[in-house]
Amino acid sequence: MARQRRPAEETRAEILGIAQRSLVEHGPAGVRLDEIAKEVGVSRQAILHHFGSREELMRAVVEQAWTGLFRDLATLAAVTDKSPDAFVDHVDDVVRRKGNARLGGWLLLSGKGLPDAVFEGALAGLPDAVFDDADDAGLSMLLVGAALFGDALFGKRLRQVLGMADDEASREAFRAFLADRAWAKGGSPAR
């Protein structure tokens, strides 16, 4: 059966999406050109045509992943319910449910990152956009982000070794605890 020709940008986007999913699910070693080609319905050579090499494909996946994470985190400024609990739930959605914590972990461990300049101030305006009168807004966001990224990566095992249940109720209790602590000094999300 002959392959159908698609627009190059559509094919490129599909290749990137499948490569990113493979990275999230299996880590850098799981990004295999032959498997991606089969799933997309193109040849391995077509992938190389679009990206030049596996390394360039990985670089494009990394760039897309970090850009997507920054975009997802930037949506925090537009969330209408900015109560501490809702804010923490939204961050959890971005980092755990969407797979960004795991993806970020793989990217950092693989050494296939982007230049530091890409990260410098990428979300600098977010604390002021999210919080009213909170001198510690950046610190609150750092605490929430670090705790939820850590929970997404290690929470299951930490709860296991602590003899705690690993279910949605336990994660919800942790998020409520975190929201309470992150704003204990009086800072609160903007309303």
Side-chain angles (χ1 to χ4, degrees), residues 70-176:
F70 293 156
R71 183 186 58 248
D72 287 349
L73 288 173
T75 65
L76 292 169
V79 173
T80 54
D81 181 356
K82 294 186 179 175
S83 67
D85 289 331
F87 175 80
V88 170
D89 284 345
H90 187 77
V91 175
D92 184 61
D93 182 56
V94 169
V95 300
R96 182 177 59 87
R97 292 184 191 112
K98 289 187 177 181
N100 284 314
R102 186 173 170 134
L103 180 59
W106 284 123
L107 296 175
L108 291 172
L109 290 173
S110 73
K112 299 189 183 318
L114 299 172
D116 284 346
V118 171
F119 298 95
E120 297 295 330
L123 297 171
L126 191 56
D128 290 337
V130 173
F131 290 87
D132 278 339
D133 298 324
D135 292 333
D136 296 331
L139 294 175
S140 292
M141 292 189 83
L142 180 61
L143 173 63
V144 169
L148 291 177
F149 267 90
D151 187 50
L153 294 172
F154 305 111
K156 177 179 181 174
R157 293 296 180 224
L158 288 172
R159 281 186 278 283
Q160 184 180 27
V161 299
L162 293 169
M164 300 168 71
D166 181 46
D167 54 17
E168 189 54 38
S170 295
R171 288 187 289 278
E172 187 176 318
F174 177 66
R175 291 191 305 271

